[in-house]
DNA sequence: AATATAATCAACCGCACTGAC
DNA sequence: AGTCAGTGCGGTTGATTATAT
């Protein structure tokens, strides 16, 4: 189509609006409504193109605009919405009363992108960052070791797990590991058996028995299940896995993640998060237990989507 | 205090979409 | 069905402000 001629009219003013111009625009719209944006500037006595007037009004002068810092709740909502809708700023804005698409876009590009990157999350895909260097750096967060190949349980210990970011990094790291049968950039010794991915990461060598003589972990061999995925049953420790992902605080200082895996496929069968003081236990309390043929950590990531308890939101994304 | 660099965000540009004719 | 005006949207720019050196 032919572009609006006002865009080429060099006699029209551009750049920042003066208070006088703002006043003229607000006065006019309050008295008459905006009507046709193209004709508005002339009627309002403004030497601007209609587009500029519309932008100024919708992004700045509208009376219902909420200004100031984004709340944590708004931040969470933006991340969740963005994970589903992508860069659909105007649609995201419909879920944040008083915020404009432009404001949300700016906020995303200047704050949230950076924040997610620091958390090890790709802001475009909302999945763990794939670059190897980052993942290798994460390994520095992990200490402890691989133990008990015989009972097929891998233990990780995370120092100072009070730091939410570390927990998220751990989740993301594990997801990356579970999705990777051959860890990128790490030499795998010749032979028919893959190294257990976690061991590759930590540059340890697998014992033969882990891969050849070990019975598969079977669900019936494992402790009984907690009924709901993601719910940890000790409220004093942790409200829920979902809550953790959305920023609730953890109060314990050390966690053990027990990960029971199918030794043939490497797929995790379930995970337990238990405080370090209970590390000797493989019991069922204080536990996030999962059983799934799919990667349960995918469920963790997917749960972000499910956290939006808003009918209009779901209607929106089904469109 | 002066300067350089980074962060912020209002505003612009141009393409896409919609509805009237 | 095609054209066009009006409007919406998302990416980008660049002026301003904040922070670091």
């Amino acid at each position: 189509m032919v572009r609006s001629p006002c865009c080429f009219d060099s006699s029209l003013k551009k750049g920042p609006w003066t208070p006088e111009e703002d006043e003229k625009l607000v006065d006019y719209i309050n008295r008459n409504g905006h009507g046709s944006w193209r004709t508005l500037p002339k009627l309002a006595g403004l030497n601007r193109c209609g587009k500029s007037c519309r932008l100024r009004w919708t992004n700045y002068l509208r009376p219902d605009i909420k200004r100031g810092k984004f709340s944590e709740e708004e931040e969470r909502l933006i991340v969740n919405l963005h994970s589903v809708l992508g860069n659909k700023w105007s649609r995201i804005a419909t879920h944040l009363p008083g915020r404009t698409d432009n404001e949300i876009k700016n906020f995303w590009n200047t704050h949230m992108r950076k924040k997610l990157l620091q958390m090890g999350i790709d802001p475009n895909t909302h999945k763990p960052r794939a670059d190897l260097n980052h993942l290798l750096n994460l390994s520095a967060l992990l200490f402890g070791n691989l133990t008990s190949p015989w009972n097929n349980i891998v233990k990780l210990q995370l120092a100072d797990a009070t730091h939410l970011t570390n927990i998220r990094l751990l989740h993301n790291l594990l997801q990356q590991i579970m999705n990777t049968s051959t860890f990128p950039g790490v030499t795998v010794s010749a032979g028919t058996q893959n190294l257990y991915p976690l061991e590759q990461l930590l540059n340890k060598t697998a014992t033969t028995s882990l891969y050849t003589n070990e019975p598969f972990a079977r669900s019936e061999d494992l402790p009984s299940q907690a009924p709901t995925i993601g719910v940890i049953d000790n409220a004093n420790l942790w409200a829920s896995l979902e809550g953790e992902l959305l920023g609730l605080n953890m109060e314990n200082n050390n966690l053990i993640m027990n990960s029971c895996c199918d030794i043939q496929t490497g797929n995790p069968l379930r995970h337990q998060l238990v405080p370090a003081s209970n590390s000797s236990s493989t019991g069922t309390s204080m536990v996030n237990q999962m059983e799934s043929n799919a990667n349960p950590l995918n469920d963790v990531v997917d749960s972000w989507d499910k956290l939006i308890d808003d009918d209009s939101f779901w209607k929106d994304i089904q469109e």
Side-chain angles (χ1 to χ4, degrees):
Chain A
M1 69 157 265
V2 179
R3 224 169 280 129
S4 171
C6 74
C7 298
F8 298 113
D9 187 341
S10 58
S11 70
L12 294 176
K13 192 178 170 204
K14 285 191 195 175
W17 281 63
T18 65
E20 292 74 28
E21 288 177 310
D22 283 347
E23 201 183 329
K24 278 185 183 175
L25 183 58
V26 171
D27 279 355
Y28 180 84
I29 291 177
N30 283 343
R31 279 187 284 109
N32 307 291
H34 64 70
S36 159
W37 286 111
R38 172 170 282 231
T39 56
L40 180 146
K42 202 169 185 180
L43 295 170
L46 286 160
N47 188 32
R48 295 268 182 177
C49 74
K51 209 169 180 177
S52 178
C53 294
R54 180 177 60 78
L55 209 66
R56 184 64 180 169
W57 174 257
T58 55
N59 284 344
Y60 201 84
L61 297 174
R62 244 171 48 202
D64 57 329
I65 284 182
K66 189 203 282 183
R67 308 210 73 84
K69 232 177 148 233
F70 280 79
S71 67
E72 281 183 30
E73 181 57 36
E74 286 176 312
E75 262 187 43
R76 285 196 289 271
L77 193 52
I78 290 169
V79 171
N80 284 319
L81 288 163
H82 187 272
S83 71
V84 177
L85 299 172
N87 293 359
K88 301 292 175 194
W89 306 116
S90 59
R91 288 177 72 186
I92 291 172
T94 63
H95 298 278
L96 287 105
R99 300 294 189 183
T100 69
D101 53 355
N102 207 37
E103 193 179 13
I104 293 167
K105 178 174 59 182
N106 283 332
F107 181 67
W108 178 266
N109 288 329
T110 57
H111 293 94
M112 296 311 297
R113 278 182 64 84
K114 215 174 300 170
K115 197 168 178 177
L116 291 177
L117 283 169
Q118 282 169 357
M119 289 163 58
I121 297 169
D122 182 327
N124 298 318
T125 63
H126 293 260
K127 295 216 155 51
R129 289 174 65 181
D131 52 301
L132 177 63
N133 285 341
H134 178 68
L135 286 166
L136 290 177
N137 287 339
L138 292 188
S139 69
L141 287 170
L142 304 171
F143 66 92
N145 50 27
L146 301 168
T147 60
S148 305
W150 190 250
N151 64 16
N152 227 6
I153 289 178
V154 173
K155 291 183 180 180
L156 294 176
Q157 191 165 6
L158 183 72
D160 188 19
T162 50
H163 199 266
L164 180 62
T165 299
N166 287 351
I167 291 293
R168 289 177 172 173
L169 291 173
L170 176 59
H171 278 299
N172 292 339
L173 177 61
L174 280 169
Q175 185 185 46
Q176 185 77 26
I177 292 163
M178 299 311 177
N179 284 335
T180 312
S181 60
T182 303
F183 201 73
V186 177
T187 304
V188 180
S189 57
T192 56
Q193 295 133 11
N194 283 334
L195 288 179
Y196 185 67
L198 185 59
E199 289 178 308
Q200 294 179 36
L201 177 70
L202 299 176
N203 202 21
K204 291 174 188 281
T205 306
T207 61
T208 305
S209 65
L210 181 60
Y211 300 98
T212 59
N213 302 324
E214 189 68 16
F216 294 167
R218 294 175 305 164
S219 59
E220 53 266 36
D221 297 333
L222 297 168
S224 61
Q225 297 290 295
T228 309
I229 286 176
V231 173
I232 290 169
D233 63 10
N234 186 330
N236 291 327
L237 264 175
W238 204 349
S240 72
L241 186 58
E242 290 184 346
E244 177 271 322
L245 279 167
L246 286 181
L248 293 184
N249 290 326
M250 270 183 31
E251 295 176 6
N252 57 316
N253 290 324
N254 282 293
L255 281 182
I256 299 292
M257 175 172 277
N258 292 330
S259 180
C260 308
C261 300
D262 181 321
I263 57 172
Q264 198 171 48
T265 65
N267 287 337
L269 294 173
R270 68 175 57 170
H271 294 279
Q272 297 176 320
L273 280 169
V274 299
S277 58
N278 287 43
S279 61
S280 61
S281 165
T282 57
T284 58
S285 62
M286 302 179 229
V287 173
N288 162 40
Q289 294 186 337
M290 305 177 188
E291 182 171 26
S292 168
N293 291 328
N295 185 340
L297 287 166
N298 284 337
D299 294 338
V300 172
V301 175
D302 289 346
S303 72
W304 282 55
D305 298 350
K306 296 174 185 152
L307 293 173
I308 313 245
D309 184 20
D310 177 350
D311 289 344
S312 68
F313 167 75
W314 290 110
K315 206 183 297 166
D316 194 23
I317 63 170
Q318 282 161 8
E319 282 173 16

